[in-house]
Amino acid sequence: MLTSYLKIAWRNLWKHKLFSVINVFGLASGLVVCFLAIAHIKGSFDYDNFHPNRGRTYRILTDVVGKDNDITPFATSPMPLAATLKRDYSFVEEAARVAKTYAEFSSNQKRFTTVSYAVDPGFFRIFGYKLAKGRPATEPNTVVLTRETAEKFFGTANPVGQVLQNTELGQFTVTGVLADMPIKSHLVFDMLFSLQTPWNPQQRASFADWRNYQTGLTYVLLKPGTTADALKQVLPSVVGRATRNLHFKTEKGYSLRVQPFTKLSPSRQELMRATNEPQIGGLLVEAGVGLLTLLLAAFNYINLTLARSLSRAREVGIRKVAGAVRWQLVGQFMAESVILSLLALGLANVMLEFIKPMVFVQKWLIGGVVWNWQLTAIFVVFSVIAGLLAGVIPARILSGFQPSQVLRSQTGLRVIRGISLRKSLIVAQFAISMIAMIALLSMSRQMNYMATADYGFQRDRVLTIPLNTIPAQRLANEINQLAGVEQVSATSELFGSYGYDHTVKRERNGLDSSTAFVWASDPQFIATMNLTLLAGQNLPPATADSVASGGSRLVLINEEAAKTFRLGNSREAVGKSLWLNDSTEVQVAGVLKDFRFTSFAWSIKPLIIQNNPAQFRYLTVGVAAGNEDAVLADTKRIWKRLSPYEPFTGQWYTDFLQQRHTHPEDMDFTTLLLVLSFSIACLGLLGMVTYNTQTRVKEVGVRKILGAQVSQIVWLLSRDFVRLLLIAAAIAMPLGYLAGYAFLSNFAYHVSLGLETFALCFGSLLVLGGLTIGIRTYRAALDNPTESLRAE
């Protein structure tokens, strides 16, 4: 019987090739998006499974209770906790601290900012990060590198025994190179260096402070046979003893809890200071997008199957008269669905091979995912289930026809008065696609706005050059001599990037601290970037004393900083003092007019600019109009002479902002999803229009003989479908507005959802839908009526 079902199903699919192709392509498009989501979800559960002691390893989380009794969970915990647990409790086999830093290291005439973790020696005993060469970094001032970082600094040479230099922590000896991780880890880093390295007194005090729960992660390895309950029971007493006499400034206190390493990824809770494990909410969104795309394809199958319901009803009637029962008819229709889903599975795998190399897909979805037989089995089972679910509605409806219904002209499928189920599904398809288009267009316009908007500083004809190991002054002197160069200055950050904030106070021991961005630049920077000085004077030139003491004591601030720290207006703020990180007193030399120097997601933040040559990382070169190409070529020659082994990576400021904010790889993938959704919807519409014209071919022939024009016939055949497109647009516009606004509300400065956005989306919907309808109906209207009426 099963063989008979499959043969008949195959013959039906082959007989109606257009509908079969539409269904296979639609299901394949939905499946490929679902496959990407499935692969990412599976990969998120595989994070860190190469560590040998996962079942006995735990991370300690901190639940901080605020003054308003709100609880904020942190992935970090107090730094003294690891040593206390290992020393006082015999069931703890090992405990280790992990502190994340963004540090700049230099070696071999190269300098890079790295993502680093300072780790205890126990880290290498808890985790299974294997070394390709050398030994772990367990002694002070030792470091192990990833393979990519080792190649950046030393090329193909053996890095073991080489020295890296850090301005704050001194020299580090490379003791080993880490092997490539077989899969992804929640810790993403360029290097691991020893936490035993001598730190400055302020940092050491921070590490010993039980009130400081935001600096480091704590991992605990329990002895075999010990349950997590033993660790849970001792944490309250540890916190009680450690914090009994401590005073907290902004919170009431905190408690500690245990997170099993096996449940670390995906993260079930949004944590502050989190690591790189996927969030369960993001995975659910991905799954939702995949299922929504698949649902659009399922709509096609339901639509086209029910559209042919009259011809299938006759088939059902004959089978029932011949003695078939309902479950046998359901089996026949479900067999067709399974064959379609298996064909779609094959096409989806072909499409997946073309999508896999996309940057966004590799970086955010399937990078590091192990493609094994288990994942393949999941894909096959998912495809069969998707096919069965897509076919269940048509199967139940069609198998329920009675033989007496065969001669009726309609199947009576209604959702609401005047709108059939098939029409409702078409409206849903195009409404969902248009909502996605409005959201995507809003995202694209916002990214373009962030890349091209007026930031309040000079962005045209400004060349930015990462310094690496070349002294800023030496390179500036060389470039200053070039024809066409107007200004040359040095800075620690580029405007338009995120930067790092610092704690700033009016009084050293005051409680009125706030955060501000502290950037370093020289006196020429104001003129190069065309900033406006409202009051006071520019930064003074650097002196030997200011360099030795970590920067000039005279600083520039923006208007927002004067307001935040209550320094009065611009003139009143000049001459007043501020304290940076409780250790450095600076005096306001001048006040700059506010400008946008960070992400558009934030409103303008307090900014402090200090002349500190030790922090200079970029050179900015103002170029006269018409001299851009010549200056760029001459600068490259100077760079080649001063740093022959380091490639020139300078770029124009406009290009930097474009790359920083447009995220082309994200937009490419989102556009792909939009194209797939519209393709599915248009193909479904094409199938419906095709079937509609086929059932009305004799009517068209009679009307043409009676004198109807081609345009009249086209309108007759297409007006119902155009009406459906208008209904879809009416539904999608308000929902699309909400979707676009939800995205734009994340930015302090954003574009507006104007009429142009909706006009473009509405126009695209009408063009795509109109072409789909018009081409098919126009061909039907041109058919010779003698062909359709010959049998009459």
Side-chain angles (χ1 to χ4, degrees):
M1 182 180 292
L2 179 60
T3 304
S4 174
Y5 284 168
L6 295 176
K7 284 183 179 179
I8 296 173
W10 177 257
R11 289 170 184 169
N12 266 319
L13 296 175
W14 185 256
K15 181 179 179 181
H16 304 282
K17 297 182 184 67
L18 175 62
F19 299 132
S20 299
V21 169
I22 290 173
N23 282 326
V24 169
F25 177 81
L27 286 174
S29 301
L31 286 176
V32 75
V33 181
C34 287
F35 288 171
L36 291 174
I38 290 171
H40 188 208
I41 292 171
K42 178 185 178 297
S44 69
F45 284 95
D46 291 339
Y47 266 53
D48 292 290
N49 68 3
F50 58 91
H51 297 300
N53 300 313
R54 293 179 73 224
R56 295 190 288 128
T57 304
Y58 301 87
R59 183 168 70 174
I60 308 300
L61 307 182
T62 305
D63 290 324
V64 179
V65 182
K67 296 293 187 183
D68 54 0
N69 289 325
D70 283 346
I71 298 177
T72 304
F74 282 77
T76 51
S77 51
M79 294 289 277
L81 175 63
T84 301
L85 292 175
K86 186 177 180 181
R87 181 187 66 242
D88 296 344
Y89 299 97
S90 59
F91 56 79
V92 174
E93 180 176 321
E94 190 60 78
R97 302 167 297 169
V98 178
K100 188 175 186 178
T101 63
Y102 294 92
E104 193 171 71
F105 288 85
S106 60
S107 182
N108 199 26
Q109 296 184 339
K110 299 176 183 179
R111 181 167 60 182
F112 299 104
T113 299
T114 63
V115 179
S116 313
Y117 280 106
V119 299
D120 281 326
F123 176 88
F124 297 97
R125 293 189 285 272
I126 294 176
F127 297 110
Y129 294 103
K130 294 183 179 179
L131 291 168
K133 58 180 67 174
R135 56 186 175 81
T138 55
E139 296 86 14
N141 290 95
T142 57
V143 62
V144 294
L145 311 177
T146 62
R147 179 181 56 81
E148 294 84 355
T149 307
E151 290 176 355
K152 279 184 180 181
F153 280 108
F154 307 106
T156 58
N158 184 7
V160 177
Q162 300 286 345
V163 174
L164 295 179
Q165 183 72 37
N166 179 266
T167 54
E168 294 184 4
L169 299 175
Q171 291 186 346
F172 284 80
T173 302
V174 179
T175 61
V177 177
L178 292 163
D180 291 338
M181 286 180 284
I183 58 174
K184 286 188 175 181
S185 171
H186 74 294
L187 297 176
V188 178
F189 51 83
D190 300 313
M191 61 175 64
L192 300 171
F193 64 89
S194 174
L195 194 56
Q196 309 301 315
T197 299
W199 299 79
N200 61 54
Q202 182 180 356
Q203 193 68 55
R204 287 200 302 271
S206 173
F207 286 171
D209 191 350
W210 281 91
R211 290 170 298 188
N212 183 11
Y213 50 80
Q214 300 189 38
T215 300
L217 306 160
T218 302
Y219 296 92
V220 178
L221 177 65
L222 300 183
K223 289 182 178 179
T226 305
T227 65
D229 290 337
L231 183 58
K232 293 177 183 177
Q233 292 173 3
V234 303
L235 289 179
S237 59
V238 171
V239 174
R241 290 195 305 269
T243 62
R244 183 178 299 122
N245 299 317
L246 296 181
H247 173 71
F248 293 90
K249 295 181 180 178
T250 60
E251 58 274 323
K252 288 185 177 179
Y254 61 78
S255 61
L256 301 175
R257 58 187 166 96
V258 174
Q259 181 185 37
F261 200 71
T262 52
K263 296 183 179 180
L264 189 145
S265 179
S267 176
R268 280 76 167 175
Q269 183 182 29
E270 186 174 348
L271 302 173
M272 302 296 291
R273 306 287 182 179
T275 43
N276 293 277
E277 63 274 9
Q279 300 288 322
I280 193 70
L283 296 179
L284 291 176
V285 170
E286 291 175 17
V289 171
L291 292 176
L292 184 61
T293 310
L294 187 60
L295 184 63
L296 295 179
F299 285 174
N300 275 356
Y301 182 82
I302 296 170
N303 251 350
L304 297 179
T305 304
L306 294 182
R308 292 159 42 219
S309 60
L310 186 58
S311 61
R312 301 306 297 268
R314 293 192 179 98
E315 176 189 342
V316 170
I318 294 173
R319 286 176 178 273
K320 284 195 171 183
V321 169
V325 294
R326 185 170 184 177
W327 71 264
Q328 292 174 317
L329 296 172
V330 170
Q332 176 63 60
F333 291 122
M334 297 302 281
E336 290 184 23
S337 298
V338 171
I339 290 178
L340 273 175
S341 66
L342 293 177
L343 292 173
L345 172 64
L347 180 57
N349 278 293
V350 174
M351 296 169 66
L352 199 58
E353 292 302 315
F354 287 96
I355 295 174
K356 275 183 181 180
M358 294 181 67
V359 175
F360 178 90
V361 173
Q362 284 294 328
K363 184 176 181 181
W364 298 110
L365 295 178
I366 64 173
V369 175
V370 179
W371 293 77
N372 51 21
W373 68 268
Q374 296 168 321
L375 193 57
T376 303
I378 292 174
F379 288 170
V380 173
V381 171
F382 182 85
S383 301
V384 173
I385 292 175
L388 291 173
L389 291 178
V392 68
I393 293 178
R396 286 187 58 84
I397 292 175
L398 297 179
S399 65
F401 290 157
Q402 299 298 322
S404 60
Q405 288 181 301
V406 170
L407 299 178
R408 294 183 181 180
S409 59
Q410 295 184 359
T411 59
L413 297 170
R414 300 285 168 175
V415 175
I416 58 175
R417 184 178 180 182
I419 301 181
S420 69
L421 173 62
R422 291 179 285 112
K423 292 178 180 179
S424 301
L425 296 182
I426 290 177
V427 170
Q429 282 182 315
F430 278 96
I432 291 171
S433 299
M434 187 172 176
I435 292 170
M437 177 180 281
I438 294 173
L440 178 62
L441 185 58
S442 301
M443 293 168 59
S444 178
R445 291 184 60 217
Q446 175 63 21
M447 290 179 181
N448 183 67
Y449 170 68
M450 292 190 296
T452 59
D454 180 14
Y455 279 73
F457 59 82
Q458 176 71 24
R459 52 180 292 164
D460 298 321
R461 305 189 318 277
V462 176
L463 182 63
T464 66
I465 308 170
L467 291 170
N468 292 336
T469 56
I470 299 179
Q473 194 57 51
R474 181 180 180 186
L475 183 59
N477 291 338
E478 296 271 0
I479 295 178
N480 250 325
Q481 299 175 18
L482 299 178
V485 172
E486 295 180 333
Q487 296 282 348
V488 180
S489 60
T491 180
S492 61
E493 297 285 344
L494 296 179
F495 291 155
S497 61
Y498 291 97
Y500 306 104
D501 54 7
H502 296 72
T503 301
V504 180
K505 297 180 179 180
R506 280 289 309 275
E507 303 290 339
R508 183 171 189 175
N509 297 318
L511 299 178
D512 58 343
S513 64
S514 185
T515 58
F517 289 84
V518 181
W519 287 358
S521 68
D522 61 17
Q524 292 75 36
F525 191 70
I526 306 303
T528 303
M529 304 307 294
N530 196 24
L531 303 179
T532 302
L533 190 63
L534 298 177
Q537 60 185 6
N538 197 356
L539 293 171
T543 63
D545 291 339
S546 65
V547 172
S549 61
S552 171
R553 291 294 181 262
L554 293 176
V555 299
L556 296 176
I557 64 173
N558 63 350
E559 294 176 279
E560 183 63 28
K563 186 186 306 181
T564 299
F565 298 107
R566 299 187 302 278
L567 302 180
N569 59 38
S570 299
R571 293 187 180 276
E572 294 170 345
V574 175
K576 292 184 178 179
S577 296
L578 295 171
W579 283 88
L580 309 182
N581 298 323
D582 291 335
S583 60
T584 305
E585 184 181 18
V586 295
Q587 189 178 51
V588 178
V591 179
L592 296 169
K593 182 179 179 180
D594 278 341
F595 61 96
R596 300 167 182 171
F597 62 91
T598 57
S599 167
F600 273 40
W602 306 329
S603 58
I604 295 176
K605 301 294 184 182
L607 173 65
I608 298 174
I609 299 179
Q610 182 184 32
N611 189 355
N612 186 358
Q615 296 183 4
F616 292 162
R617 298 171 57 239
Y618 296 92
L619 214 63
T620 55
V621 182
V623 181
N627 293 275
E628 294 89 346
D629 292 339
V631 170
L632 180 59
D634 290 339
T635 302
K636 288 181 178 179
R637 282 194 291 270
I638 294 173
W639 182 274
K640 185 67 176 177
R641 175 163 49 84
L642 297 179
S643 183
Y645 303 105
E646 184 70 20
F648 179 78
T649 55
Q651 60 182 156
W652 297 103
Y653 225 118
T654 51
D655 295 335
F656 164 75
L657 293 175
Q658 191 78 23
Q659 293 176 9
R660 171 70 67 170
H661 297 297
T662 53
H663 304 293
E665 64 276 4
D666 297 3
M667 296 302 297
D668 288 345
F669 183 72
T670 310
T671 302
L672 173 66
L673 295 181
L674 182 65
V675 170
L676 287 178
S677 67
F678 261 106
S679 299
I680 293 170
C682 288
L683 284 174
L685 182 61
L686 175 63
M688 290 295 297
V689 174
T690 299
Y691 186 79
N692 184 58
T693 55
Q694 289 174 353
T695 57
R696 303 179 69 177
V697 64
K698 290 183 174 60
E699 177 190 347
V700 171
V702 171
R703 289 181 180 273
K704 289 194 72 173
I705 288 175
L706 294 177
Q709 302 294 319
V710 171
S711 59
Q712 293 174 312
I713 293 175
V714 169
W715 175 244
L716 174 71
L717 296 176
S718 61
R719 62 187 180 186
D720 286 341
F721 294 104
V722 172
R723 190 178 297 118
L724 296 180
L725 294 181
L726 295 177
I727 294 173
I731 295 173
M733 283 188 180
L735 297 179
Y737 176 85
L738 294 177
Y741 182 79
F743 170 76
L744 295 177
S745 63
N746 294 311
F747 298 89
Y749 309 101
H750 56 77
V751 296
S752 60
L753 279 170
L755 291 177
E756 66 277 6
T757 300
F758 297 100
L760 179 59
C761 294
F762 181 65
S764 300
L765 177 70
L766 288 184
V767 168
L768 291 173
L771 287 175
T772 303
I773 298 168
I775 292 174
R776 190 66 190 88
T777 55
Y778 182 73
R779 287 177 58 190
L782 291 178
D783 287 344
N784 190 341
T786 59
E787 297 291 334
S788 60
L789 299 177
R790 180 181 297 172
E792 302 297 324

